[in-house]
Amino acid sequence: MSTDNYQDEPIVQTVAEPLHQILKQQAGITEATAPATTPATGARPTAPKTLAFRPTGRQPLAMLTILDDGQRKAGEVVRIRGPRLVIGREEGDVTIPFDPDISSEHAELRCQKRDGKFQWYLIDLGSTNGTFLRAYRATLPKKADLVLGSRRYQFQLPESVSSEQDDEIAETHRYRAPSRTLAENFLPRLAEVGAPDGRAFRFGKPSLLFGRDAACDISVADDPFLSPRHVQFYQDERGRWMIEDKKSLNGVWLKIKRLPLSQQAEFQLGQQRFRFQPNVVAD
């Protein structure tokens, strides 16, 4: 076929007429000749659903929203097309210069390919004040930093009792009742961080409610950003301490160093909150 003939070929716009209809016409199949039902079931055959085009040889398009104050959805949208995006106060792809609690280079979103699949990670870059992820339910490690309401806390499990000097005991000591302070050392506690007169709350039972309401096991009535029943601390069947959001308005935020993000997530750097969508799917 010559170049001139090729240029004379008609261009079919499949937006107005679906491609499968064009193929039917070229094959001489019309609505009158096409079978109305299948012989076995008597039902009209259904064609497999056509999928919208998605890239398979590169990472999927991701989206970061720098949330407006007091919002969970509205904000400035940044589409991420590269494998790495750095957020900081002074340096990076996204800068928040007016937030003094954000480090110069605070955190990054990084995409890596493993076993043929793309995986996004949220990684703290050694920031001063940490990177916090919004969580509905989570297992609490030995020391877990949390944001609840307007304050930061650290959940602390008691240190294990050491028996290194058991063999060195030379004589039997007369029994003395342990002091209250010593007994409390064997209980988990929630300690306020960053305040000169920070409060600490001991966990005297395996399940406690934390919130602004006076009926909670731990009540912080002077924090207006706490919900009346904000969060529950409890031990699961394996004895692990868990935290669970009780549908609070402002959420439960857990400090992380590196975490895979396989679905939409919210995180906080300094006083700025973000929403991240690892796979942007058109409606």
Side-chain angles (χ1 to χ4, degrees):
M1 179 181 296
S2 66
T3 304
D4 294 337
N5 290 336
Y6 176 77
Q7 290 177 343
D8 291 338
E9 289 291 325
I11 298 175
V12 179
Q13 298 185 18
T14 59
V15 174
E17 189 174 12
L19 180 61
H20 68 274
Q21 294 291 343
I22 298 171
L23 296 177
K24 279 184 179 181
Q25 292 175 5
Q26 292 177 349
I29 300 174
T30 64
E31 294 294 333
T33 59
T37 60
T38 57
T41 62
R44 180 180 292 273
T46 57
K49 181 180 179 180
T50 303
L51 299 178
F53 171 75
R54 298 293 302 278
T56 57
R58 64 158 173 83
Q59 69 184 49
L61 174 67
M63 188 164 64
L64 176 72
T65 303
I66 308 167
L67 293 171
D68 293 341
D69 297 345
Q71 297 290 325
R72 289 193 67 182
K73 294 183 178 180
E76 179 185 350
V77 175
V78 178
R79 285 177 167 79
I80 307 174
R81 304 186 189 277
R84 183 173 183 257
L85 181 136
V86 175
I87 307 171
R89 191 184 72 254
E90 298 176 347
E91 302 178 17
D93 306 288
V94 173
T95 57
I96 313 292
F98 51 80
D99 192 335
D101 294 338
I102 294 181
S103 295
S104 178
E105 277 193 335
H106 196 110
E108 72 169 333
L109 292 161
R110 182 188 302 172
C111 187
Q112 296 179 334
K113 190 174 184 179
R114 291 187 175 180
D115 300 326
K117 295 182 179 180
F118 293 100
Q119 176 65 63
W120 281 96
Y121 294 87
L122 175 62
I123 305 170
D124 184 80
L125 297 177
S127 65
T128 300
N129 293 310
T131 297
F132 290 80
L133 185 81
R134 186 167 190 160
Y136 166 68
R137 183 188 297 115
T139 304
L140 294 172
K142 195 168 188 178
K143 289 185 178 180
D145 292 308
L146 306 164
V147 172
L148 303 173
S150 64
R151 297 188 174 99
R152 295 192 178 189
Y153 300 87
Q154 186 177 77
F155 173 80
Q156 301 169 347
L157 283 174
E159 298 290 339
S160 59
V161 180
S162 174
S163 58
E164 295 178 356
Q165 299 180 350
D166 287 351
D167 296 336
E168 301 179 7
I169 297 177
E171 59 183 18
T172 302
H173 296 280
R174 188 176 296 275
Y175 170 77
R176 290 179 297 177
S179 66
R180 179 174 178 84
T181 303
L182 179 61
E184 287 181 344
N185 288 337
F186 293 90
L187 298 174
R189 73 172 192 160
L190 187 69
E192 188 177 349
V193 175
D197 55 346
R199 292 164 285 191
F201 308 96
R202 297 288 179 179
F203 288 15
K205 55 183 183 178
S207 179
L208 302 97
L209 272 173
F210 176 97
R212 201 176 70 249
D213 198 310
C216 290
D217 301 288
I218 301 175
S219 175
V220 182
D222 59 351
D223 188 348
F225 295 102
L226 281 176
S227 293
R229 293 162 55 94
H230 196 99
V231 69
Q232 183 176 17
F233 295 89
Y234 65 94
Q235 282 184 289
D236 66 5
E237 65 279 358
R238 296 171 55 184
R240 300 175 302 177
W241 277 98
M242 310 287 293
I243 187 170
E244 182 174 315
D245 192 349
K246 304 303 289 184
K247 299 181 179 179
S248 66
L249 176 63
N250 293 311
V252 174
W253 305 79
L254 184 66
K255 187 177 181 180
I256 62 97
K257 291 184 178 179
R258 178 188 173 98
L259 193 74
L261 301 179
S262 300
Q263 56 188 357
Q264 183 171 287
E266 294 177 55
F267 62 93
Q268 178 171 334
L269 312 179
Q271 299 176 53
Q272 178 62 55
R273 292 183 173 178
F274 304 83
R275 188 177 76 252
F276 176 69
Q277 189 173 341
N279 298 285
V280 178
V281 180
D283 295 334

